[in-house]
């Protein structure tokens, strides 16, 4: 802990970024130092206006140089799920080298999983800036890696770890996310043409989680197998983000298996549905985690396991700020840091 508030920058102001700004403004031990935006319409707006809060005096900029020049302790790096989560690692390295710890909400859960080159670049930037980089999230960053490792404490002689995530996007408002990135509503041919870029992003995130779990369990992996599938809509239907026509892609399943000794030892299954009520295949929305050992442990949830997943993702990053800022310079995964906890609301015990 420091005697002064942690000065925090919010990088990107999508739904998660706006939730993070609100979280910074609510904590007396944090101070908002700056905001970076991508949308030209947001340039110059007050951070409070962007987040639905009173004015803060902090105006949004689209110039990374403005952020690099700030006096700040930490950057909540949340540029969104487009394409390769690590595609702008040069910016992350620049922030680290400029003396700003980075907590990413998409990727960087375990950068060493991608080989020595990226890890060396990040470590060098951290050394020059005296900073740390840490990846958080909900999945990856919690349900697909932190939770399985936590449950593994109750088992011995572990044989296999299985994580299932099934998400229903019927209420998601973003057409870019649902139709462009996930490919829902596209013809079968169009979906298969664009699957390569989606496959790369999905593999990047799953690889980090698989290697983090393997490292925590003391496993040496031989490689990662990928299996994919999809379902087409039997009839046209409407969801919050638009129309899924008859014959358009309405669901997808991705299975990533970490192999050791010629068999799968860790499996992550991710299922995305345009509308779970219209696509019953592959089970109901929610999470399931199973550690097959002695004893075996199973934890399952329905889709309402968290009241707001976006807010939860922002909170996971915000709660990590003091721990990451206090850490030794370098890549810092869940395995490298002490436990990270939330904080009581200021209303608790105050009568407010």
């Amino acid at each position: 802990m420091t005697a002064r508030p942690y000065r925090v920058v919010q990088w990107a102001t999508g739904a998660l970024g706006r939730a993070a700004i609100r979280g910074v403004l609510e904590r007396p031990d944090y101070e908002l130092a700056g905001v970076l935006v991508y949308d030209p319409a947001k340039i110059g707006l007050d951070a409070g206006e962007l987040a639905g809060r009173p004015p803060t005096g902090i105006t949004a900029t689209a110039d990374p140089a403005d952020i690099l020049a700030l006096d700040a302790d930490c950057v909540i790096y949340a540029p969104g799920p487009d394409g390769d989560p690590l595609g702008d690692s040069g910016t992350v390295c620049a922030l680290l080298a400029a003396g700003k710890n980075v907590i990413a909400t998409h990727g960087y859960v375990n950068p060493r999983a991608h080989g020595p080159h990226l890890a060396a670049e990040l470590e060098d930037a951290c050394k020059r800036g005296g900073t740390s980089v840490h990846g958080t999230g909900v999945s990856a960053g919690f349900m697909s890696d932190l939770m399985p490792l936590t449950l593994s404490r109750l088992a011995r002689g572990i044989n296999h770890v299985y994580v299932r995530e099934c998400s229903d996007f019927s209420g998601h408002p973003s057409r870019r996310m649902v139709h462009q990135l996930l490919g829902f509503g596209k013809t079968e041919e169009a979906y298969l043409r664009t699957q390569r870029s989606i496959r790369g992003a999905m593999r990047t995130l799953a690889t980090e989680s698989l290697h983090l779990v393997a490292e925590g369990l003391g496993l040496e992996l031989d490689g990662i197998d990928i299996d994919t599938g999809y379902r087409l809509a039997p009839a046209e239907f409407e969801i919050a983000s638009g129309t899924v026509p008859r014959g358009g892609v309405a669901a997808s399943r991705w299975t990533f298996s970490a192999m050791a000794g010629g068999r799968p030892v860790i499996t992550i299954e991710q299922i995305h549905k345009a509308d779970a009520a219209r696509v019953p295949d592959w089970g109901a929305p929610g999470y399931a985690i199973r550690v097959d050992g002695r004893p075996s442990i199973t934890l399952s949830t329905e889709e309402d396991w968290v009241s707001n997943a976006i807010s939860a993702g922002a909170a996971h990053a915000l709660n990590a700020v003091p721990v990451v800022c206090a850490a030794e310079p370098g890549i810092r995964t869940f395995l490298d840091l002490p436990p990270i906890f939330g904080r009581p609301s200021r209303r608790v015990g105050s009568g407010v």
Side-chain angles (χ1 to χ4, degrees):
M1 300 295 293
T2 61
R4 60 171 179 78
Y6 293 97
R7 289 179 52 79
V8 179
V9 170
Q10 178 53 46
W11 188 287
T13 57
L16 190 146
R18 295 193 299 274
I21 291 174
R22 292 191 287 271
V24 171
L25 297 177
E26 290 167 2
R27 287 188 59 153
D29 55 337
Y30 291 2
E31 177 184 338
L32 188 66
V35 174
L36 183 128
V37 296
Y38 289 95
D39 185 349
K42 296 180 179 179
I43 298 173
L45 295 182
D46 189 275
E49 180 180 355
L50 290 172
R53 293 292 186 268
T56 64
I58 302 295
T59 56
T61 179
D63 189 349
D66 293 338
I67 302 299
L68 291 169
L70 285 174
D71 174 22
D73 298 299
C74 188
V75 175
I76 305 296
Y77 185 75
D82 292 3
D84 181 4
L86 308 177
D88 198 19
S89 60
T91 295
V92 172
C93 287
L95 291 167
L96 293 167
K100 296 162 182 60
N101 296 283
V102 173
I103 298 175
T105 62
H106 189 60
Y108 298 92
V109 167
N110 187 14
R112 298 186 188 94
H114 305 295
H117 181 69
L118 174 63
E121 287 186 338
L122 291 169
E123 290 285 3
D124 178 68
C126 289
K127 182 178 179 180
R128 287 186 284 134
T131 51
S132 298
V133 57
H134 175 66
T136 68
V138 173
S139 183
F142 188 81
M143 292 300 279
S144 58
D145 31 57
L146 192 158
M147 280 299 293
L149 286 171
T150 301
L151 294 178
S152 75
R153 296 177 63 172
L154 302 180
R156 58 188 176 86
I158 295 170
N159 300 310
H160 183 256
V161 174
Y162 168 74
V163 180
R164 174 188 181 272
E165 171 194 355
C166 182
S167 301
D168 183 345
F169 286 85
S170 60
H172 200 295
S174 172
R175 183 171 183 83
R176 179 180 60 83
M177 165 68 81
V178 177
H179 296 269
Q180 295 179 22
L181 294 179
L182 296 179
F184 292 153
K186 290 184 178 181
T187 65
E188 187 174 12
E189 294 75 16
Y191 177 78
L192 292 173
R193 282 198 305 269
T194 59
Q195 194 180 44
R196 179 178 297 178
S197 61
I198 300 171
R199 184 185 184 95
M202 295 282 288
R203 183 187 177 96
T204 294
L205 295 174
T207 294
E208 292 196 336
S209 291
L210 290 167
H211 277 270
L212 190 66
V213 174
E215 184 180 346
L217 298 179
L219 282 170
E220 290 269 347
L221 299 182
D222 302 330
I224 295 173
D225 285 352
I226 304 176
D227 183 61
T228 65
Y230 57 91
R231 293 289 184 268
L232 305 179
E236 180 175 299
F237 60 87
E238 296 292 326
I239 55 177
S241 58
T243 302
V244 176
R246 182 177 183 273
V249 173
S252 61
R253 179 172 68 174
W254 301 77
T255 304
F256 303 90
S257 296
M259 308 297 291
R263 68 179 184 87
V265 291
I266 309 164
T267 300
I268 295 176
E269 183 181 48
Q270 294 187 323
I271 301 163
H272 302 145
K273 298 186 179 188
D275 186 343
R278 306 273 186 165
V279 188
D281 302 43
W282 301 324
Y287 282 90
I289 301 169
R290 180 173 175 81
V291 177
D292 181 16
R294 297 190 301 274
S296 295
I297 302 105
T298 301
L299 177 68
S300 61
T301 75
E302 297 181 352
E303 61 180 326
D304 60 352
W305 72 280
V306 61
S307 62
N308 188 318
I310 291 173
S311 179
H316 195 188
L318 289 167
N319 288 327
V321 168
V323 173
V324 173
C325 288
E328 290 295 315
I331 297 169
R332 293 292 170 256
T333 73
F334 162 69
L335 300 176
D336 303 312
L337 297 174
I340 295 171
F341 303 109
R343 289 290 180 269
S345 166
R346 281 184 289 181
R347 293 176 294 180
V348 174
S350 67
V352 178

